Amino acid sequence: MTAQVVLVTGAQQGIGRCCALAFAAAGYDVALNWLDDEAAAAAVAAEVHAAGRRAALVQGDVGHVAECGRIVEAAVGALGRLDVLVNNAGIFPRVPFLEMTEAEWDRVLAVNLKGSAFAAQAAARAMLAAGHGGSIINLSSQAVRGTPVGVHYSATKNGVVGITRSMALALAPHGIRVNAIAPGTTDTAQPRYGNTEEELQAMGRALPLGRLGRPDEIADLAVYLASGKAAWVTGQVWHINGGSYMP
């Protein structure tokens, strides 16, 4: 039986890396999209191979629509099919609202929101062309509730919720499920921009469950949402945050 294939964007580190490894452990072959650290991406590919699965490295910037299509095409070309897309690539440059520039706004929206939408479009087209359904998992964030140094980021992560619900409706007739995961503060490089290690650990202790999230916990949820166990789940936003936000 041919293995299913997942494409993970932003797979060179953090949640993306853990998603790639969790899907490999679940029996998927993995296409690893990376932006600017080939050595890190190659190290993830080596871990996928060590798990007995195939891996393909696909460089590209999802902030450009043409790149989204090329990334999906390269993944299918390398591994033969595409069953799951994890829209993980994202940026969060901290900037006070009163200092935010149009260029900063445009770049964050291009990567986090436009990139997620058009990567999903390209993936869905590939799934339909192959004659099968699939699963798309978008990464939102607890920042949907707002952040003073990330107005642009919060806008994109709220937008991800909107496109998830709308794409779920658009793609349901084709057997493609679309869901979103909204992590709280997770122990990766991203929250270390703008926070000291001491501040970060204090944030974790202040959560109801008393610690930061682990990226592998986010990845395990992504694997579940892609699996047959979630076959009747679409258009949903899964908040995973240690109890810090309960919408």
Side-chain angles (χ1 to χ4, degrees):
M1 181 177 177
T2 302
Q4 290 194 311
V5 172
V6 59
L7 166 62
V8 182
T9 66
Q12 67 191 41
Q13 63 181 357
I15 290 173
R17 170 185 172 275
C18 284
C19 283
L21 300 181
F23 274 94
Y28 288 75
D29 292 335
V30 186
L32 303 155
N33 162 248
W34 61 280
L35 176 63
D36 57 7
D37 192 339
E38 185 175 8
V44 181
E47 292 183 87
V48 171
H49 288 140
R53 307 311 317 172
R54 294 186 299 160
L57 292 174
V58 183
Q59 195 280 334
D61 183 350
V62 298
H64 301 283
V65 172
E67 288 285 279
C68 293
R70 185 189 60 77
I71 290 166
V72 169
E73 183 178 356
V76 174
L79 298 176
R81 58 184 291 147
L82 181 62
D83 302 277
V84 180
L85 168 68
V86 179
N87 258 326
N88 168 74
I91 58 174
F92 185 0
R94 275 70 166 173
V95 58
F97 175 59
L98 295 177
E99 300 172 15
M100 186 175 63
T101 67
E102 181 181 9
E104 289 168 330
W105 171 272
D106 288 347
R107 178 59 179 162
V108 174
L109 264 69
V111 174
N112 296 4
L113 186 56
K114 185 169 70 175
S116 293
F118 283 93
Q121 183 190 67
R125 286 173 172 172
M127 293 169 187
L128 292 177
H132 59 75
S135 175
I136 295 170
I137 300 161
N138 299 318
L139 266 292
S140 182
S141 169
Q142 182 177 284
V144 293
R145 66 180 184 176
T147 171
V149 292
V151 171
H152 45 6
Y153 182 77
S154 182
T156 64
K157 294 307 183 178
N158 276 282
V160 164
V161 172
I163 66 172
T164 294
R165 292 169 175 163
S166 297
M167 290 191 299
L169 294 172
L171 297 175
H174 304 290
I176 299 173
R177 298 181 298 105
V178 187
N179 291 287
I181 298 174
T185 306
T186 306
D187 193 2
T188 65
Q190 192 200 70
R192 286 175 167 81
Y193 296 112
N195 294 294
T196 67
E197 193 66 27
E198 183 178 350
E199 289 170 336
L200 196 61
Q201 296 307 318
M203 290 165 60
R205 290 191 296 272
L207 299 178
L209 289 182
R211 63 171 176 84
L212 300 174
R214 299 193 312 269
D216 61 284
E217 293 173 313
I218 313 303
D220 287 343
L221 179 54
V223 172
Y224 165 73
L225 289 173
S227 75
K229 294 180 179 180
W232 209 45
V233 178
T234 196
Q236 305 304 308
V237 182
W238 293 67
H239 290 273
I240 175 169
N241 54 43
S244 59
Y245 178 52
M246 303 180 187

